[in-house]
Amino acid sequence: MITTKYFNYRQVLNLAGGHLIWLTAWCTLVAALFYFFKWKWMIIPWVPVALIGTAEAFYVGFKNNQAYDRLWEARKIWGGIVNSSRSFVSMLYAFNTTGEGNSETETIKKKIAYRHIAWLYTFREQLLVPTEWEHMSQKRHFGDINVRRHRLIKAGFPDYGRTPIFLHKYLSEQELDLQPEYKNFATYLISKQAKEVNELKNFGDISDFNQMQLQDALNLFYDYQGQAERIKKFPSPRQFASTAFIFNVIFIMLLPLGLVNEFAKLGNWGILVSVPFCVIIGWIYIVMELVGDYSENPFEGMMFDIPMLSICRTIEIDVLQMIGEHDDLPEPIASKNGVLV
């Protein structure tokens, strides 16, 4: 997540700076051919170019709107996890039918609270596994660029890849040994929570109604997990994403062919001036396309992502304090270079 007030020039250049090179080369080539070789046969009227540009602007706007919906839904899901986590742990420790807790039930409650923290980090780790349509899975040059961007982000946050350490801290050795056996370990952890909530009822520490309330909270975590997995495993429809990209390329290829003739009406110097204007217009369309393209995948480890690590750490601190642990609390995740993960 970008935390600066504005999308600063470094972030913009990191996202789309490389496109300035080929865009400048193409616009300069068209202007040079027109100026030095008088190749007027390749020039096209401005009206059809403007029509294509207008249609493309609407299309990219629609795509970006859908991408924002996916991003905002993902943030609402994690916001719901924050609220439900607090409610779950508060109920866990507030419900007590006997009026006094014994050591065995207190141990079970602590295990449940710890396991919930482990579930958070496990779930985050599962969401970060790249799918075939995400940017880090692209082949050759573009995939390498995004892998390097991802590594730079990870380098700024030491806790980014420490999920195994957190799991060792909050899970028993027996549970950790079971992790390779489950394709969806986060789902297993919630099911384990339900069994131990039932044990609390069997011990008489909570009533049947209390168990039902805690189970409802666990069901909410299943819901949130399923909603996030739906976004992760179902891409924004490729037909919209692909056609928007293709139309953008067509418009940018045609842009200097229509723009240079308009500027030539100002004189020979106008032909040269057309180059920066062509680059600016084309680059704006490229940035609009890229913003939507990266925003549609909110769980891939890029700077537009939901700050899942920060949210997990916030819940971890809250849970530890709610169960009475106030010493050696982990520090909240702070943003680095205008990015929070």
Side-chain angles (χ1 to χ4, degrees):
M1 180 182 75
I2 298 171
T3 58
T4 52
K5 184 174 179 61
Y6 300 104
F7 195 38
N8 61 49
Y9 76 94
R10 288 185 179 179
Q11 293 164 336
V12 174
L13 291 177
N14 180 37
L15 175 67
H19 293 278
L20 285 171
I21 299 173
W22 68 264
L23 185 58
T24 301
W26 170 239
C27 295
T28 302
L29 175 63
V30 172
L33 292 174
F34 186 85
Y35 182 82
F36 292 108
F37 297 96
K38 310 299 180 184
W39 282 12
K40 295 186 179 181
W41 56 267
M42 66 179 183
I43 301 304
I44 59 177
W46 174 247
V47 173
V49 178
L51 288 174
I52 294 174
T54 303
E56 173 62 10
F58 280 111
Y59 204 94
V60 172
F62 168 77
K63 174 184 173 181
N64 286 5
N65 186 59
Q66 301 307 307
Y68 178 80
D69 285 345
R70 287 169 61 88
L71 180 67
W72 186 238
E73 183 184 0
R75 182 59 186 90
K76 289 193 291 185
I77 291 169
W78 275 93
I81 291 174
V82 172
N83 297 336
S84 297
S85 297
R86 292 166 177 163
S87 298
F88 174 70
V89 177
S90 67
M91 287 190 296
L92 180 67
Y93 273 76
F95 294 158
N96 192 335
T97 58
T98 61
E100 58 181 19
N102 59 58
S103 59
E104 189 170 4
T105 57
E106 289 301 316
T107 299
I108 293 176
K109 288 181 178 181
K110 187 173 182 178
K111 284 174 60 179
I112 292 173
Y114 273 12
R115 190 181 294 110
H116 181 70
I117 298 173
W119 171 77
L120 293 168
Y121 286 109
T122 300
F123 182 39
R124 169 186 171 270
E125 194 74 12
Q126 291 179 184
L127 289 177
L128 287 173
V129 176
T131 57
E132 60 182 307
W133 56 82
E134 290 180 339
H135 295 88
M136 286 194 297
S137 300
Q138 294 180 21
K139 300 186 182 300
R140 298 181 183 176
H141 182 64
F142 293 106
D144 293 340
I145 290 175
N146 289 295
V147 168
R148 286 197 297 270
R149 288 171 175 166
H150 179 65
R151 287 174 180 168
L152 287 174
I153 292 173
K154 288 176 62 176
F157 298 91
D159 286 342
Y160 193 95
R162 292 180 179 172
T163 296
I165 297 176
F166 302 142
L167 297 187
H168 275 86
K169 180 179 179 181
Y170 294 116
L171 292 179
S172 65
E173 290 295 330
Q174 291 81 2
E175 288 175 320
L176 277 175
D177 292 340
L178 291 174
Q179 186 174 8
E181 299 180 14
Y182 292 88
K183 295 185 180 299
N184 194 327
F185 191 56
T187 300
Y188 162 76
L189 291 178
I190 298 179
S191 67
K192 184 70 174 178
Q193 298 283 67
K195 293 178 182 178
E196 297 211 338
V197 166
N198 189 61
E199 284 188 27
L200 290 176
K201 187 204 70 172
N202 293 337
F203 286 139
D205 192 64
I206 61 175
S207 66
D208 291 346
F209 183 69
N210 295 154
Q211 182 202 16
M212 183 180 68
Q213 289 178 289
L214 290 171
Q215 185 60 51
D216 286 343
L218 293 175
N219 291 341
L220 271 180
F221 296 134
Y222 274 131
D223 290 342
Y224 291 133
Q225 183 175 332
Q227 291 166 15
E229 288 172 345
R230 182 189 69 235
I231 296 174
K232 177 70 177 183
K233 297 180 180 180
F234 186 85
S236 180
R238 294 296 87 193
Q239 60 269 31
F240 293 114
S242 299
T243 50
F245 171 76
I246 293 170
F247 294 163
N248 220 8
V249 171
I250 293 173
F251 170 70
I252 292 172
M253 291 296 103
L254 295 178
L255 180 62
L257 303 179
L259 200 63
V260 69
N261 190 48
E262 294 297 314
F263 276 84
K265 296 175 183 178
L266 302 175
N268 288 335
W269 64 272
I271 300 174
L272 301 177
V273 174
S274 71
V275 174
F277 278 92
C278 180
V279 171
I280 291 171
I281 296 171
W283 196 59
I284 288 174
Y285 274 80
I286 290 173
V287 172
M288 288 194 301
E289 163 70 22
L290 290 175
V291 167
D293 195 46
Y294 279 87
S295 298
E296 69 186 24
N297 300 313
F299 303 128
E300 63 173 333
M302 296 295 172
M303 62 180 175
F304 296 103
D305 275 20
I306 302 302
M308 294 188 290
L309 179 61
S310 174
I311 295 173
C312 288
R313 180 57 53 81
T314 298
I315 301 174
E316 178 184 7
I317 294 171
D318 288 346
V319 169
L320 291 177
Q321 289 183 320
M322 291 169 74
I323 66 177
E325 297 188 11
H326 301 281
D327 299 327
D328 298 325
L329 291 175
E331 292 295 324
I333 304 297
S335 63
K336 300 289 178 64
N337 301 317
V339 176
L340 184 65
V341 300

